[in-house]
Amino acid sequence: MTPIRSKKDSPGRNLLWAPWRMEYVESAGEKQRGCIFCVKPGENDDRKNLIAFRGKTAFVILNRYPYNNGHVMVVPCKHTAELSALDAAEQTELFRLLAVSQTVIRRLMKPDGFNVGMNLGRVAGAGVEDHLHFHLVPRWNGDTNFMPVTGCTKVVSEGLEITWKKMFDAFSAVKNIQ
Protein backbone atom coordinates (compact mmCIF):
# COMPACT_ATOMS: atom_id res chain seq x y z
CA MET A 1 0.00 0.00 0.00
CA THR A 2 1.36 3.42 -0.91
CA PRO A 3 1.56 5.88 1.97
CA ILE A 4 -1.22 8.46 1.66
CA ARG A 5 -0.45 12.12 2.26
CA SER A 6 -2.92 13.95 4.47
CA LYS A 7 -3.46 17.70 4.63
CA LYS A 8 -4.14 17.32 8.37
CA ASP A 9 -0.71 15.88 8.99
CA SER A 10 2.40 17.97 9.53
CA PRO A 11 4.42 18.95 6.44
CA GLY A 12 6.86 16.32 5.30
CA ARG A 13 5.16 13.47 7.13
CA ASN A 14 3.03 10.81 5.44
CA LEU A 15 0.28 8.68 6.88
CA LEU A 16 0.32 4.96 6.28
CA TRP A 17 -3.18 3.51 6.23
CA ALA A 18 -3.51 -0.02 7.64
CA PRO A 19 -7.10 -0.29 8.92
CA TRP A 20 -6.88 -4.09 9.34
CA ARG A 21 -4.45 -3.48 12.23
CA MET A 22 -7.34 -2.11 14.34
CA GLU A 23 -8.33 -5.67 15.28
CA TYR A 24 -4.90 -6.09 16.86
CA VAL A 25 -4.98 -2.70 18.57
CA GLU A 26 -8.45 -3.31 20.03
CA SER A 27 -7.52 -6.78 21.28
CA ALA A 28 -4.24 -5.68 22.89
CA GLY A 29 -4.41 -6.38 26.58
CA GLU A 30 -7.38 -8.76 26.27
CA LYS A 31 -6.91 -12.07 27.97
CA GLN A 32 -6.95 -14.91 25.44
CA ARG A 33 -9.34 -17.70 26.39
CA GLY A 34 -7.58 -20.99 25.87
CA CYS A 35 -4.59 -21.72 23.71
CA ILE A 36 -4.85 -20.06 20.31
CA PHE A 37 -3.21 -23.11 18.69
CA CYS A 38 -5.81 -25.41 20.24
CA VAL A 39 -8.87 -23.15 19.90
CA LYS A 40 -8.49 -22.01 16.27
CA PRO A 41 -8.19 -25.48 14.66
CA GLY A 42 -11.18 -26.62 16.72
CA GLU A 43 -13.38 -23.91 15.21
CA ASN A 44 -13.22 -25.63 11.79
CA ASP A 45 -13.11 -22.33 9.89
CA ASP A 46 -9.72 -22.49 8.20
CA ARG A 47 -10.23 -19.36 6.09
CA LYS A 48 -11.16 -17.19 9.09
CA ASN A 49 -8.38 -18.70 11.21
CA LEU A 50 -5.80 -18.62 8.39
CA ILE A 51 -5.02 -22.34 8.57
CA ALA A 52 -3.37 -23.17 5.25
CA PHE A 53 -2.91 -26.92 5.80
CA ARG A 54 -3.92 -29.59 8.31
CA GLY A 55 -1.85 -32.72 8.72
CA LYS A 56 -2.44 -35.69 11.01
CA THR A 57 -0.46 -34.31 13.95
CA ALA A 58 0.48 -30.76 12.89
CA PHE A 59 -0.82 -27.83 10.86
CA VAL A 60 0.35 -24.68 9.07
CA ILE A 61 -1.21 -21.33 9.98
CA LEU A 62 -0.46 -17.83 8.72
CA ASN A 63 0.69 -15.40 11.36
CA ARG A 64 -2.16 -12.89 11.83
CA TYR A 65 0.41 -10.21 12.71
CA PRO A 66 3.22 -11.13 10.29
CA TYR A 67 6.74 -9.84 10.15
CA ASN A 68 6.67 -10.25 6.35
CA ASN A 69 4.20 -11.45 3.73
CA GLY A 70 3.99 -15.23 3.88
CA HIS A 71 5.02 -15.51 7.56
CA VAL A 72 3.64 -18.87 8.69
CA MET A 73 3.80 -20.97 11.81
CA VAL A 74 4.05 -24.75 11.81
CA VAL A 75 2.35 -26.10 14.90
CA PRO A 76 1.91 -29.55 16.45
CA CYS A 77 -1.68 -30.44 17.33
CA LYS A 78 -0.50 -31.67 20.72
CA HIS A 79 -0.56 -28.91 23.33
CA THR A 80 2.98 -28.88 24.69
CA ALA A 81 5.84 -26.49 25.29
CA GLU A 82 8.47 -29.25 25.12
CA LEU A 83 9.89 -30.80 21.95
CA SER A 84 10.65 -33.95 23.92
CA ALA A 85 6.90 -34.39 24.59
CA LEU A 86 6.32 -35.06 20.88
CA ASP A 87 6.71 -38.64 19.72
CA ALA A 88 8.79 -39.52 16.65
CA ALA A 89 5.82 -39.36 14.25
CA GLU A 90 4.81 -35.91 15.55
CA GLN A 91 8.36 -34.60 15.30
CA THR A 92 8.70 -35.99 11.78
CA GLU A 93 5.46 -34.43 10.55
CA LEU A 94 6.29 -31.08 12.19
CA PHE A 95 9.63 -30.93 10.39
CA ARG A 96 8.14 -32.24 7.14
CA LEU A 97 5.50 -29.48 7.17
CA LEU A 98 8.22 -26.93 7.84
CA ALA A 99 10.09 -28.14 4.72
CA VAL A 100 6.93 -28.25 2.59
CA SER A 101 5.97 -24.75 3.79
CA GLN A 102 9.35 -23.47 2.65
CA THR A 103 8.81 -25.06 -0.77
CA VAL A 104 5.30 -23.60 -1.08
CA ILE A 105 6.44 -20.11 -0.08
CA ARG A 106 9.46 -20.28 -2.38
CA ARG A 107 7.22 -21.17 -5.35
CA LEU A 108 4.56 -18.57 -4.55
CA MET A 109 6.63 -15.63 -3.38
CA LYS A 110 10.16 -16.23 -4.63
CA PRO A 111 11.95 -14.94 -1.51
CA ASP A 112 15.74 -14.63 -1.41
CA GLY A 113 15.94 -16.44 1.93
CA PHE A 114 14.12 -17.45 5.11
CA ASN A 115 14.28 -17.03 8.86
CA VAL A 116 13.26 -20.21 10.69
CA GLY A 117 12.98 -20.49 14.43
CA MET A 118 11.06 -21.14 17.58
CA ASN A 119 11.02 -19.37 20.91
CA LEU A 120 10.69 -21.79 23.81
CA GLY A 121 9.69 -20.05 27.03
CA ARG A 122 8.89 -16.45 27.95
CA VAL A 123 12.52 -15.40 28.36
CA ALA A 124 13.22 -16.67 24.83
CA GLY A 125 10.49 -14.40 23.47
CA ALA A 126 7.62 -16.88 23.17
CA GLY A 127 4.32 -15.08 22.62
CA VAL A 128 2.49 -18.37 23.16
CA GLU A 129 4.52 -20.03 25.91
CA ASP A 130 2.64 -23.29 26.38
CA HIS A 131 2.33 -24.48 22.78
CA LEU A 132 5.54 -24.74 20.79
CA HIS A 133 5.59 -23.71 17.14
CA PHE A 134 8.05 -22.91 14.37
CA HIS A 135 8.06 -19.55 12.62
CA LEU A 136 8.98 -19.52 8.94
CA VAL A 137 9.50 -15.99 7.60
CA PRO A 138 10.36 -15.35 3.96
CA ARG A 139 12.96 -12.62 3.40
CA TRP A 140 13.86 -10.55 0.37
CA ASN A 141 16.96 -8.52 -0.42
CA GLY A 142 16.11 -5.01 0.68
CA ASP A 143 13.08 -5.92 2.82
CA THR A 144 14.66 -4.09 5.74
CA ASN A 145 14.65 -0.43 4.91
CA PHE A 146 14.12 2.91 6.64
CA MET A 147 10.52 2.12 7.71
CA PRO A 148 11.31 -0.44 10.45
CA VAL A 149 14.70 1.08 11.27
CA THR A 150 13.76 4.73 11.74
CA GLY A 151 9.98 4.78 11.54
CA CYS A 152 9.31 1.75 13.78
CA THR A 153 6.84 0.60 11.11
CA LYS A 154 6.80 -2.60 9.07
CA VAL A 155 4.88 -2.61 5.78
CA VAL A 156 3.19 -5.86 4.75
CA SER A 157 2.07 -5.37 1.18
CA GLU A 158 -0.52 -8.12 0.67
CA GLY A 159 -3.72 -8.77 2.60
CA LEU A 160 -3.86 -11.90 4.75
CA GLU A 161 -6.97 -13.23 3.01
CA ILE A 162 -5.24 -13.12 -0.37
CA THR A 163 -2.07 -14.74 0.99
CA TRP A 164 -4.15 -17.44 2.76
CA LYS A 165 -6.01 -18.33 -0.46
CA LYS A 166 -2.77 -18.63 -2.42
CA MET A 167 -1.17 -20.78 0.28
CA PHE A 168 -4.26 -22.95 0.80
CA ASP A 169 -4.43 -23.66 -2.94
CA ALA A 170 -0.67 -24.32 -3.12
CA PHE A 171 -0.75 -26.77 -0.22
CA SER A 172 -3.75 -28.52 -1.80
CA ALA A 173 -1.71 -29.00 -4.98
CA VAL A 174 1.34 -30.51 -3.24
CA LYS A 175 1.50 -34.30 -3.42
CA ASN A 176 2.96 -36.46 -0.66
CA ILE A 177 2.98 -33.87 2.11
CA GLN A 178 2.80 -36.53 4.80
Side-chain angles (χ1 to χ4, degrees):
M1 178 179 282
T2 304
I4 300 171
R5 184 115 169 107
S6 168
K7 291 180 183 178
K8 296 178 187 174
D9 208 18
S10 62
R13 192 169 83 186
N14 292 321
L15 294 175
L16 184 63
W17 293 95
W20 53 88
R21 295 283 298 163
M22 186 52 74
E23 177 187 342
Y24 176 74
V25 171
E26 289 175 346
S27 68
E30 283 182 15
K31 191 76 169 161
Q32 172 72 32
R33 290 189 185 139
C35 171
I36 189 169
F37 296 132
C38 294
V39 170
K40 297 301 180 188
E43 291 177 354
N44 291 317
D45 190 344
D46 290 354
R47 178 183 293 272
K48 176 184 139 208
N49 292 313
L50 304 174
I51 297 172
F53 181 80
R54 289 175 183 259
K56 292 177 185 168
T57 65
F59 61 96
V60 179
I61 184 170
L62 273 71
N63 190 321
R64 186 163 298 280
Y65 309 107
Y67 180 77
N68 262 348
N69 289 44
H71 178 173
V72 299
M73 295 172 289
V74 182
V75 186
C77 295
K78 183 185 283 182
H79 181 84
T80 182
E82 298 296 328
L83 282 167
S84 61
L86 300 176
D87 65 28
E90 292 165 325
Q91 291 175 7
T92 298
E93 184 174 33
L94 190 66
F95 200 77
R96 177 74 181 129
L97 286 183
L98 186 61
V100 170
S101 296
Q102 181 187 14
T103 299
V104 164
I105 292 168
R106 189 177 303 284
R107 287 179 187 161
L108 285 176
M109 302 180 149
K110 300 175 182 28
D112 298 309
F114 291 89
N115 290 124
V116 180
M118 64 175 21
N119 303 324
L120 299 173
R122 181 181 297 242
V123 298
V128 179
E129 294 178 60
D130 298 330
H131 200 133
L132 68 86
H133 55 282
F134 279 101
H135 287 265
L136 178 63
V137 181
R139 300 300 306 267
W140 291 267
N141 289 324
D143 70 8
T144 299
N145 55 38
F146 76 95
M147 289 294 285
V149 175
T150 62
C152 299
T153 302
K154 181 70 178 155
V155 178
V156 177
S157 57
E158 182 175 73
L160 286 172
E161 297 79 15
I162 295 168
T163 304
W164 174 84
K165 178 68 171 130
K166 289 177 182 177
M167 291 238 194
F168 182 84
D169 291 346
F171 274 102
S172 297
V174 173
K175 303 292 186 231
N176 301 319
I177 290 178
Q178 296 161 325

